[in-house]
Protein backbone atom coordinates (compact mmCIF):
# COMPACT_ATOMS: atom_id res chain seq x y z
CA UNK A 1 0.00 0.00 0.00
CA UNK A 2 1.25 3.49 -0.80
CA UNK A 3 2.25 5.79 2.05
CA UNK A 4 0.47 9.02 2.90
CA UNK A 5 2.67 11.24 5.08
CA UNK A 6 0.95 14.30 6.55
CA UNK A 7 3.22 17.21 7.46
CA UNK A 8 1.02 19.62 9.42
CA UNK A 9 3.82 22.20 9.76
CA UNK A 10 2.75 24.95 12.26
CA UNK A 11 -0.97 24.06 12.14
CA UNK A 12 -3.56 24.06 13.67
CA UNK A 13 -3.97 26.58 16.50
CA UNK A 14 -5.98 24.46 18.91
CA UNK A 15 -5.74 20.94 20.26
CA UNK A 16 -9.44 20.48 19.51
CA UNK A 17 -8.85 21.18 15.82
CA UNK A 18 -5.75 18.94 15.85
CA UNK A 19 -7.78 16.03 17.18
CA UNK A 20 -10.42 16.55 14.50
CA UNK A 21 -7.79 16.43 11.73
CA UNK A 22 -6.11 13.39 13.30
CA UNK A 23 -9.40 11.49 13.35
CA UNK A 24 -9.89 12.21 9.64
CA UNK A 25 -6.32 11.02 8.90
CA UNK A 26 -6.33 7.76 10.84
CA UNK A 27 -5.36 4.96 8.44
CA UNK A 28 -2.82 2.13 8.45
CA UNK A 29 -0.87 3.63 5.55
CA UNK A 30 -0.74 7.15 7.05
CA UNK A 31 2.08 8.78 9.02
CA UNK A 32 1.03 11.95 10.84
CA UNK A 33 3.48 14.74 11.72
CA UNK A 34 1.67 17.17 14.04
CA UNK A 35 3.41 20.04 15.86
CA UNK A 36 5.43 18.69 18.78
CA UNK A 37 3.05 20.23 21.32
CA UNK A 38 0.21 18.00 20.14
CA UNK A 39 2.15 14.72 19.85
CA UNK A 40 0.85 13.16 23.04
CA UNK A 41 -2.79 14.04 22.54
CA UNK A 42 -2.72 12.94 18.90
CA UNK A 43 -1.09 9.66 19.92
CA UNK A 44 -4.17 8.90 22.04
CA UNK A 45 -6.49 9.53 19.10
CA UNK A 46 -4.68 7.50 16.44
CA UNK A 47 -5.69 3.86 16.25
CA UNK A 48 -4.05 2.98 12.92
CA UNK A 49 -1.66 5.71 11.73
CA UNK A 50 1.94 6.05 12.80
CA UNK A 51 3.06 9.20 14.54
CA UNK A 52 6.04 11.33 13.58
CA UNK A 53 7.85 14.47 14.75
CA UNK A 54 8.65 17.39 12.44
CA UNK A 55 12.06 18.02 14.01
CA UNK A 56 14.53 16.72 16.60
CA UNK A 57 17.78 17.81 18.22
CA UNK A 58 20.81 15.63 17.51
CA UNK A 59 22.02 15.05 21.07
CA UNK A 60 20.08 12.26 22.72
CA UNK A 61 18.89 11.85 26.30
CA UNK A 62 18.95 15.08 28.32
CA UNK A 63 21.27 18.09 28.40
CA UNK A 64 21.72 21.86 28.47
CA UNK A 65 20.16 22.54 25.04
CA UNK A 66 17.56 25.27 25.48
CA UNK A 67 14.54 24.60 23.32
CA UNK A 68 15.78 21.19 22.25
CA UNK A 69 13.83 17.93 22.17
CA UNK A 70 15.76 14.67 22.08
CA UNK A 71 15.05 11.44 20.26
CA UNK A 72 14.28 9.62 23.52
CA UNK A 73 11.73 12.32 24.43
CA UNK A 74 10.02 11.97 21.06
CA UNK A 75 9.97 8.20 21.37
CA UNK A 76 8.40 8.41 24.82
CA UNK A 77 5.72 10.71 23.35
CA UNK A 78 4.89 7.93 20.87
CA UNK A 79 6.71 9.17 17.75
CA UNK A 80 8.21 6.49 15.51
CA UNK A 81 9.22 8.75 12.61
CA UNK A 82 11.02 12.05 12.26
CA UNK A 83 11.20 14.45 9.29
CA UNK A 84 14.74 15.54 8.48
CA UNK A 85 16.06 17.94 5.84
CA UNK A 86 12.79 19.66 4.96
CA UNK A 87 13.46 22.69 2.76
CA UNK A 88 11.69 25.00 5.23
CA UNK A 89 14.06 23.88 7.98
CA UNK A 90 17.01 24.36 5.63
CA UNK A 91 15.93 27.81 4.40
CA UNK A 92 14.11 29.45 7.32
CA UNK A 93 15.90 27.79 10.24
CA UNK A 94 19.24 27.88 8.39
CA UNK A 95 19.93 24.16 8.76
CA UNK A 96 23.11 23.38 6.86
CA UNK A 97 23.95 20.00 5.33
CA UNK A 98 26.00 19.30 8.47
CA UNK A 99 23.09 19.99 10.81
CA UNK A 100 20.82 17.88 8.63
CA UNK A 101 23.42 15.11 8.67
CA UNK A 102 23.76 15.25 12.48
CA UNK A 103 20.01 15.05 12.93
CA UNK A 104 19.71 12.21 10.44
CA UNK A 105 22.49 10.11 11.92
CA UNK A 106 21.36 10.62 15.53
CA UNK A 107 17.74 9.75 14.72
CA UNK A 108 18.65 6.75 12.60
CA UNK A 109 21.08 5.36 15.14
CA UNK A 110 18.65 6.26 17.93
CA UNK A 111 16.06 3.87 16.49
CA UNK A 112 13.68 6.30 14.81
CA UNK A 113 12.53 5.92 11.23
CA UNK A 114 13.49 8.90 9.13
CA UNK A 115 11.73 10.65 6.28
CA UNK A 116 14.60 12.44 4.58
CA UNK A 117 13.58 15.33 2.31
CA UNK A 118 15.48 16.34 -0.79
CA UNK A 119 14.61 18.53 -3.77
CA UNK A 120 15.93 21.27 -5.99
CA UNK A 121 15.21 25.03 -6.11
CA UNK A 122 13.87 26.68 -9.26
CA UNK A 123 17.24 27.94 -10.51
CA UNK A 124 18.50 24.35 -10.62
CA UNK A 125 15.29 23.17 -12.26
CA UNK A 126 15.84 25.68 -15.05
CA UNK A 127 19.24 24.16 -15.80
CA UNK A 128 17.68 20.81 -16.68
CA UNK A 129 17.66 17.18 -15.66
CA UNK A 130 21.35 16.58 -15.10
CA UNK A 131 21.54 19.61 -12.78
CA UNK A 132 18.54 18.33 -10.83
CA UNK A 133 20.06 14.89 -10.49
CA UNK A 134 23.41 16.28 -9.35
CA UNK A 135 21.66 18.47 -6.75
CA UNK A 136 19.53 15.63 -5.35
CA UNK A 137 22.38 13.17 -5.25
CA UNK A 138 24.56 15.79 -3.53
CA UNK A 139 21.94 16.09 -0.79
CA UNK A 140 21.82 12.31 -0.42
CA UNK A 141 25.61 11.96 -0.34
CA UNK A 142 26.00 14.62 2.33
CA UNK A 143 24.02 12.46 4.75
CA UNK A 144 24.68 8.91 3.59
CA UNK A 145 28.46 9.34 3.63
CA UNK A 146 28.00 8.58 7.34
CA UNK A 147 25.96 5.42 6.86
CA UNK A 148 27.97 2.29 6.10
CA UNK A 149 26.70 -0.65 4.08
CA UNK A 150 26.37 -2.82 7.18
CA UNK A 151 24.45 -0.11 9.00
CA UNK A 152 22.06 0.57 6.12
CA UNK A 153 18.47 -0.61 6.61
CA UNK A 154 16.05 0.54 3.89
CA UNK A 155 13.03 -0.28 6.05
CA UNK A 156 14.03 2.53 8.44
CA UNK A 157 14.36 5.23 5.79
CA UNK A 158 11.94 6.97 3.42
CA UNK A 159 13.17 9.59 0.98
CA UNK A 160 10.76 12.40 0.06
CA UNK A 161 11.46 14.09 -3.25
CA UNK A 162 10.07 17.60 -2.84
CA UNK A 163 11.05 20.18 -5.47
CA UNK A 164 11.30 23.42 -3.48
CA UNK A 165 9.52 25.44 -6.17
CA UNK A 166 6.46 23.20 -5.80
CA UNK A 167 6.11 23.31 -2.01
CA UNK A 168 3.12 25.38 -0.88
CA UNK A 169 2.86 27.02 -4.28
CA UNK A 170 -0.19 25.23 -5.68
CA UNK A 171 1.88 23.86 -8.56
CA UNK A 172 3.36 20.39 -8.70
CA UNK A 173 6.10 18.66 -10.63
CA UNK A 174 4.90 16.71 -13.65
CA UNK A 175 4.16 13.19 -12.34
CA UNK A 176 6.50 11.73 -15.00
CA UNK A 177 9.33 14.01 -13.81
CA UNK A 178 8.70 12.98 -10.20
CA UNK A 179 8.71 9.35 -11.30
CA UNK A 180 12.04 9.90 -13.04
CA UNK A 181 13.49 11.56 -9.92
CA UNK A 182 12.31 8.60 -7.81
CA UNK A 183 14.02 6.22 -10.22
CA UNK A 184 17.27 8.19 -10.06
CA UNK A 185 17.18 8.16 -6.25
CA UNK A 186 16.47 4.43 -6.09
CA UNK A 187 19.25 3.61 -8.57
CA UNK A 188 21.67 5.63 -6.48
CA UNK A 189 20.81 3.62 -3.36
CA UNK A 190 20.92 0.27 -5.14
CA UNK A 191 24.35 1.07 -6.52
CA UNK A 192 25.65 2.15 -3.14
CA UNK A 193 23.92 -0.28 -0.78
CA UNK A 194 22.35 -3.03 -2.90
CA UNK A 195 18.79 -1.99 -2.01
CA UNK A 196 16.70 1.17 -1.86
CA UNK A 197 14.33 2.81 0.61
CA UNK A 198 10.87 3.89 -0.52
CA UNK A 199 10.51 7.27 -2.21
CA UNK A 200 7.62 9.74 -1.84
CA UNK A 201 6.70 12.80 -3.86
CA UNK A 202 5.83 16.05 -2.07
CA UNK A 203 4.93 19.58 -3.21
CA UNK A 204 1.34 20.88 -3.45
CA UNK A 205 -0.25 17.43 -3.36
CA UNK A 206 -4.03 17.57 -2.88
CA UNK A 207 -7.08 15.40 -3.39
CA UNK A 208 -7.28 16.36 -7.07
CA UNK A 209 -3.71 15.62 -8.13
CA UNK A 210 -2.61 12.89 -5.67
CA UNK A 211 -3.77 10.04 -7.93
CA UNK A 212 -1.33 11.05 -10.69
CA UNK A 213 1.59 10.62 -8.31
CA UNK A 214 0.22 7.55 -6.57
CA UNK A 215 -0.14 5.71 -9.88
CA UNK A 216 3.57 6.10 -10.74
CA UNK A 217 5.40 2.78 -10.24
CA UNK A 218 8.53 4.14 -8.51
CA UNK A 219 6.66 6.61 -6.27
CA UNK A 220 5.70 4.85 -3.05
CA UNK A 221 3.44 7.56 -1.69
CA UNK A 222 3.04 11.27 -1.10
CA UNK A 223 4.11 13.80 1.53
CA UNK A 224 1.25 16.25 1.95
CA UNK A 225 1.58 19.67 3.60
CA UNK A 226 -1.19 22.26 3.25
CA UNK A 227 -3.90 19.78 2.24
CA UNK A 228 -3.12 17.52 5.21
CA UNK A 229 -4.68 19.92 7.72
CA UNK A 230 -7.99 20.10 5.86
CA UNK A 231 -9.94 17.11 7.18
CA UNK A 232 -11.94 16.43 4.02
CA UNK A 233 -8.85 16.75 1.81
CA UNK A 234 -6.67 14.30 3.72
CA UNK A 235 -9.56 11.87 4.07
CA UNK A 236 -10.01 11.89 0.30
CA UNK A 237 -6.26 11.53 -0.42
CA UNK A 238 -6.12 8.50 1.89
CA UNK A 239 -9.22 7.03 0.27
CA UNK A 240 -7.67 7.36 -3.20
CA UNK A 241 -4.48 5.65 -2.02
CA UNK A 242 -6.17 2.40 -0.95
P1 LIG B 1 2.69 21.39 0.52
O1 LIG B 1 3.90 21.00 1.48
O2 LIG B 1 1.89 20.13 0.29
O3 LIG B 1 1.93 22.43 1.27
O4 LIG B 1 3.29 21.89 -0.75
C1 LIG B 1 4.60 19.80 1.32
C2 LIG B 1 5.73 19.77 2.30
O5 LIG B 1 6.32 20.82 2.55
O6 LIG B 1 6.08 18.72 2.87
Amino acid sequence: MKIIAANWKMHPLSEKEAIKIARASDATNAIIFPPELFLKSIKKVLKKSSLGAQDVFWENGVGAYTGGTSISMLVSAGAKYVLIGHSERRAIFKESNDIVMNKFVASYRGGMKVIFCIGEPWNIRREGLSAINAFMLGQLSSVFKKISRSEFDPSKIIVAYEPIWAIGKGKTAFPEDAEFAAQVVKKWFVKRYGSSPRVLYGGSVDSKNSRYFLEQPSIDGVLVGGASVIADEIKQIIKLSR
Side-chain angles (χ1 to χ4, degrees), residues 26-180:
D26 200 16
T28 47
N29 61 328
I31 311 166
I32 316 294
F33 293 86
E36 194 180 296
L37 193 64
F38 298 142
L39 278 174
K40 281 194 169 173
S41 45
I42 299 301
K43 174 71 188 161
K44 288 193 196 125
V45 170
L46 298 178
K47 301 278 178 282
K48 302 174 191 157
S49 306
S50 300
L51 189 66
Q54 294 177 23
D55 188 32
V56 68
F57 185 57
W58 60 78
E59 291 292 342
N60 207 353
V62 292
Y65 303 107
T66 303
T69 303
S70 69
I71 295 149
S72 36
M73 290 170 179
L74 291 178
V75 169
S76 74
K80 287 205 165 59
Y81 286 81
V82 63
L83 270 184
I84 308 274
H86 193 281
S87 64
E88 286 157 11
R89 299 287 322 172
R90 293 181 194 259
I92 303 165
F93 295 89
K94 307 286 178 232
E95 289 190 8
S96 62
N97 276 342
D98 273 355
I99 291 178
V100 169
M101 190 252 299
N102 286 338
K103 290 185 172 184
F104 182 97
V105 172
S107 307
Y108 184 71
R109 291 188 181 147
M112 293 194 86
K113 294 186 178 186
V114 181
I115 295 192
F116 179 55
C117 304
I118 59 170
E120 80 287 352
W122 183 248
N123 63 318
I124 300 287
R125 184 74 176 183
R126 275 197 342 224
E127 285 177 32
L129 280 181
S130 50
I132 296 170
N133 292 349
F135 189 88
M136 283 192 315
L137 300 184
Q139 286 181 320
L140 289 177
S141 306
S142 71
V143 159
F144 285 91
K145 65 183 180 201
K146 291 283 180 193
I147 307 294
S148 68
R149 217 180 153 102
S150 61
E151 208 183 357
F152 180 73
D153 178 353
S155 70
K156 299 214 170 90
I157 300 160
I158 297 172
V159 174
Y161 170 62
E162 299 204 294
I164 297 171
W165 48 270
I167 295 177
K169 301 286 191 308
K171 63 177 175 192
T172 66
F174 290 118
E176 306 73 38
D177 288 352
E179 163 69 17
F180 183 67

